[in-house]
Amino acid sequence: MLYENTIWLGSSSKAVCLLPEMANRHGLITGATGTGKTVTLQVLAEGFSSMGVPVFLADVKGDLSGMVKMGENTPKISDRLAQCGVPSFQFRSFPAIFWDVYGEQGHPVRATVSQMGPVLLGRMLGLNDTQSGVLNIVFRIADHENMLLLDIKDLKAMLKYVGEHAKDYTLEYGNVSTASIGAIQRAVAVLEDQGGDRFFGEPALNMDDWMGVDEDGRGNVNILAADRLFRNPTMYSTFLLWLLSELYERLPEAGDLAKPRMVFFFDEAHLLFNNCTKSLLEKVEQVVRLIRSKGVGIFFISQSPSDIPMTVLGQLGNRIQHALRAYTPLDQKAVKVAAQTFRANPSFDTEAAIQALQTGEALISLLDSKGAPAIVERAKILPPQSYIGAVDEGVRQTCIETSPYYGIYEQVLDRVSAYEMLESDMESFIPGELSDMPSLVYNPDAASPVSDETESLVYAPDPVLPVQETAAPVSAPAPSAPHGFMIYDPKTGGYVKQEIPALEVKPFVNTSPAPAQAPVLQVQEPTAAAVTEGTEMPVLIYDSASGQYVQKMVRMVRDPATGKLVPVQPENAAAVNPKAAAAAAKEAEKERKAAEKAEKDRIAEERRKRAEELREERAERARKNDSLIGRIQNTAISTATREVTRQITRGILGGISGILGTKKK
């Protein structure tokens, strides 16, 4: 709830408010289970959203989904509002957008393997130092070989490739042991079973989509459904660390702002630092230190301040401490440490108060306008304006389908990347669709090769036989054999006859650079299947670009009526060469998906532009309000409003008193 351009968090002897310009100094919300941490988080998120600041929430228990629904008045809420001295309170819903790594309870959240990087990926896989070093080599090789690592199958294919060619890379990159490769592959298989195959891929998350506002200028509340992700603590914590590092790299420097660009709330924050290596902990500390200058605020939520490393804890200026239980000596020590982190209040004992706090109460110490910690206050937390608790699946699904990002992330993209490059045959001649083009095929009834201008030819997925670019025109006489064809002879500089005693021809597979002399084809006796299914034969195909005939491998069949060799016809091309037909269908599907993505990107860009316009309008209004005239006007309006309210209240109370007095008489 907003109060005089601040977030009204709770009340003690006075209103305890968080200054928006101090929100990017980060904060900490701690307390035992069931003491009200989630409600405190919800109140803060509502305040930031009302200011036009986008928010990210990791919803571990599922009860933060209630922010999409208007709150309901209950006796407990009415009593709390009276205790906090709230004069007026409005229940309302907030523009929540649901996200889910698994794509079940929100828009899918994805990242590419390259974006995650070897350091965070090694932590996600639970690798030791040696295995992490090998994984780093795999990333470097993929980068130098221009192979994209987008999804899990790309990573698996790259690990296999490096393992098979380990000796070739040892001198340049260092030793790559097959044992380490095998250990990484086993860890990748475990990650894949835990849902990593859904997280890694495209389209990857665009962080700009998390920084939008709605039509009323309120910041979007991005809720990550983490109830299932939380069951895999390593993946959960690594994902949150990736979010921080990705946001830090994307945002430009902003300095001190009147309010943050975005605020992150990380629930169960202790998981971020469990089993965290020294290098990774230093990186997290660096991000927490420097992301403030990018205009981003971070709030960690955990049960005890001791869950956060001291180097990170020292960067958290705003503290909200709910009750702690001191049933063991270790718990008593944690209570004492928590009390010593606050600026003492002479009116009560901080250590004793931490153990005596009721549900919904907290010790609060926030930064003042000069950046200094305020004296700790024992305050009652305000109730949220939205619904407390989880919403049903119907409400969630409706919110997902009406989201401005619906349809953008639901469609999976699969570009050509390391897997496709390594698993393919690296063919120089790629299967394509049927096309009509002039070809030069031997006609046994004629005396020389003739041009056929109308035959539809299917390109076979075999390499093209090398032909010299300076080949002489076809001038040799036709071969006398009934199944002959013309082949280039570099010795004579022309095409010479090549007699084949039978139909079956084993196609030449070119795995090396073109030799100076055309290869000699191997000949076998035909089989019954070859006569009906066809075989690959070299023919001369007219190239319209160069105006010359070039040699290609074309699938030919024997015409049962005439006994002659003819190219495969379009009607039976798919049956003879299903690989070519499948490739053509896949290419058409890619073009369709690309067109759909382009349209979705256009719609998303329009929405982002509209959000930017709204943001500029709000900024202009804020500048006007911050001016001297604006402040005078606001003060005058507030004074007049209070006076009118006071007069109305007196009139109502006077009328009630008169009615009661009349009844008594």
Side-chain angles (χ1 to χ4, degrees):
M1 181 176 175
L2 297 184
Y3 175 72
E4 295 182 353
N5 294 325
T6 62
I7 299 177
W8 190 354
L9 182 59
S11 297
S12 56
S13 58
K14 60 180 180 179
V16 180
C17 300
L18 173 65
L19 300 177
E21 61 268 25
M22 293 298 161
N24 61 350
R25 266 67 171 179
H26 313 315
L28 177 67
I29 304 174
T30 54
T33 300
T35 56
K37 299 191 300 295
T38 302
V39 172
T40 302
L41 183 157
Q42 191 168 340
V43 172
L44 282 173
E46 290 177 353
F48 285 118
S49 177
S50 299
M51 286 183 173
V53 177
V55 176
F56 167 81
L57 307 173
D59 189 8
V60 174
K61 299 185 289 293
D63 47 3
L64 290 174
S65 60
M67 294 190 67
V68 75
K69 182 179 176 182
M70 182 181 296
E72 299 176 356
N73 195 8
T74 63
K76 288 185 178 181
I77 290 180
S78 299
D79 182 58
R80 177 54 58 92
L81 292 174
Q83 294 176 8
C84 294
V86 180
S88 61
F89 191 80
Q90 179 183 2
F91 292 101
R92 60 192 303 187
S93 61
F94 287 83
I97 300 178
F98 294 102
W99 304 86
D100 186 5
V101 169
Y102 301 99
E104 298 172 352
Q105 302 183 64
H107 304 302
V109 179
R110 300 186 190 89
T112 64
V113 175
S114 297
Q115 285 179 330
M116 182 64 65
V119 176
L120 291 179
L121 184 60
R123 182 178 190 268
M124 185 179 289
L125 297 175
L127 306 181
N128 58 32
D129 292 341
T130 302
Q131 296 161 357
S132 299
V134 173
L135 182 63
N136 188 70
I137 292 176
V138 171
F139 271 74
R140 293 190 64 185
I141 293 174
D143 183 54
H144 290 173
E145 299 291 342
N146 295 322
M147 295 184 184
L148 296 177
L149 297 178
L150 302 179
D151 49 25
I152 285 289
K153 68 178 187 296
D154 291 332
L155 179 60
K156 293 167 64 176
M158 198 66 201
L159 287 169
K160 178 182 176 182
Y161 172 77
V162 174
E164 293 174 348
H165 300 81
K167 294 181 179 179
D168 299 335
Y169 293 110
T170 298
L171 293 178
E172 183 175 357
Y173 297 99
N175 184 41
V176 179
S177 68
T178 55
S180 296
I181 292 291
I184 298 173
Q185 288 175 327
R186 291 192 297 271
V188 170
V190 173
L191 178 64
E192 190 174 14
D193 294 338
Q194 295 174 346
D197 55 336
R198 299 188 185 182
F199 173 61
F200 290 107
E202 289 187 315
L205 175 66
N206 184 358
M207 297 299 293
D208 293 337
D209 292 340
W210 281 16
M211 304 183 70
V213 295
D214 68 351
E215 293 78 3
D216 299 328
R218 297 179 300 172
N220 289 336
V221 181
N222 301 281
I223 302 176
L224 176 70
D227 49 348
R228 181 181 172 186
L229 181 64
F230 180 71
R231 301 172 195 170
N232 183 2
T234 304
M235 186 173 177
Y236 170 74
S237 59
T238 307
F239 169 72
L240 297 184
L241 293 176
W242 169 76
L243 284 181
L244 281 181
S245 59
E246 188 73 9
L247 194 65
Y248 173 75
E249 293 176 359
R250 287 179 60 89
L251 292 179
E253 290 289 332
D256 292 329
L257 302 176
K259 60 182 179 181
R261 286 175 170 173
M262 191 174 187
V263 177
F264 277 73
F265 292 89
F266 291 155
D267 201 359
E268 302 296 339
H270 63 282
L271 296 176
L272 273 68
F273 308 102
N274 286 350
N275 302 322
C276 196
T277 62
K278 182 179 179 181
S279 59
L280 186 57
L281 181 60
E282 291 176 352
K283 182 178 180 181
V284 174
E285 179 187 356
Q286 180 186 26
V287 171
V288 173
R289 284 176 180 270
L290 301 180
I291 204 170
R292 178 197 66 80
S293 62
K294 308 278 184 147
V296 177
I298 303 172
F299 282 76
F300 295 102
I301 298 93
S302 189
Q303 293 193 6
S304 173
S306 60
D307 296 335
I308 312 299
M310 297 301 294
T311 55
V312 178
L313 190 63
Q315 307 300 319
L316 311 180
N318 301 292
R319 304 288 183 89
I320 303 169
Q321 177 67 63
H322 288 270
L324 289 176
R325 313 304 180 201
Y327 298 129
T328 65
L330 187 62
D331 293 338
Q332 294 173 359
K333 182 178 179 180
V335 170
K336 185 175 181 180
V337 171
Q340 292 175 348
T341 59
F342 287 103
R343 183 179 173 186
N345 190 328
S347 61
F348 61 86
D349 182 3
T350 304
E351 184 175 347
I354 290 178
Q355 303 177 62
L357 291 172
Q358 301 176 2
T359 301
E361 276 191 309
L363 298 181
I364 304 177
S365 176
L366 305 176
L367 298 178
D368 59 20
S369 58
K370 297 182 179 180
I375 295 176
V376 62
E377 297 284 351
R378 181 172 180 174
K380 294 184 179 296
I381 303 299
L382 265 65
Q385 297 173 285
S386 57
Y387 183 75
I388 300 178
V391 296
D392 56 47
E393 290 302 319
V395 175
R396 180 189 292 266
Q397 190 62 33
T398 301
C399 183
I400 294 173
E401 293 177 356
T402 56
S403 165
Y405 307 111
Y406 182 69
I408 297 178
Y409 294 97
E410 280 69 18
Q411 186 66 45
V412 179
L413 299 179
D414 190 9
R415 290 193 292 162
V416 175
S417 50
Y419 172 80
E420 287 77 12
M421 296 176 66
L422 293 173
E423 295 297 324
S424 65
D425 294 332
M426 297 297 182
E427 298 161 334
S428 59
F429 190 74
I430 299 179
E433 299 179 354
L434 294 174
S435 58
D436 293 333
M437 61 177 62
S439 60
L440 194 62
V441 183
Y442 177 70
N443 183 359
D445 297 332
S448 61
V450 295
S451 176
D452 186 349
E453 299 290 339
T454 58
E455 289 289 348
S456 294
L457 302 178
V458 179
Y459 289 158
D462 297 304
V464 179
L465 292 177
V467 177
Q468 299 296 330
E469 295 182 358
T470 59
V474 178
S475 58
S480 58
H483 306 302
F485 63 94
M486 305 297 292
I487 186 169
Y488 179 72
D489 184 4
K491 295 181 180 180
T492 62
Y495 282 85
V496 298
K497 64 180 180 180
Q498 175 71 42
E499 297 182 0
I500 300 179
L503 171 65
E504 180 70 1
V505 179
K506 181 182 292 184
F508 170 74
V509 179
N510 183 17
T511 59
S512 61
Q517 182 176 354
V520 179
L521 299 181
Q522 301 178 6
V523 180
Q524 291 182 348
E525 290 295 325
T527 61
V531 176
T532 57
E533 296 178 359
T535 185
E536 308 298 334
M537 295 186 65
V539 298
L540 295 176
I541 305 295
Y542 180 75
D543 184 6
S544 59
S546 62
Q548 298 178 356
Y549 284 86
V550 294
Q551 195 173 22
K552 308 285 186 182
M553 293 297 295
V554 178
R555 189 174 294 275
M556 308 289 288
V557 295
R558 185 192 297 276
D559 188 353
T562 62
K564 299 178 182 179
L565 295 177
V566 294
V568 173
Q569 298 299 317
E571 54 268 19
N572 62 355
V576 175
N577 191 3
K579 186 175 180 181
K586 184 177 181 180
E587 185 65 25
E589 181 66 15
K590 285 184 178 180
E591 293 179 358
R592 185 186 65 80
K593 290 180 179 180
E596 291 180 356
K597 183 180 182 299
E599 179 63 19
K600 291 174 183 177
D601 291 343
R602 184 188 64 79
I603 296 174
E605 182 63 24
E606 291 179 355
R607 290 171 177 164
R608 280 193 287 270
K609 287 182 179 179
R610 176 55 182 163
E612 185 65 27
E613 293 175 357
L614 293 174
R615 192 180 297 110
E616 291 296 332
E617 292 177 2
R618 291 197 312 276
E620 182 63 25
R621 290 198 298 269
R623 286 192 290 269
K624 291 182 179 179
N625 290 335
D626 288 341
S627 63
L628 179 60
I629 297 177
R631 293 177 181 177
I632 295 174
Q633 291 176 346
N634 292 337
T635 304
I637 293 173
S638 300
T639 304
T641 303
R642 287 195 294 268
E643 183 62 28
V644 170
T645 304
R646 189 180 297 110
Q647 294 296 334
I648 293 175
T649 304
R650 289 176 179 175
I652 293 174
L653 293 176
I656 294 173
S657 300
I659 293 173
L660 294 175
T662 303
K663 288 184 177 181
K664 289 181 179 180
K665 292 180 180 180

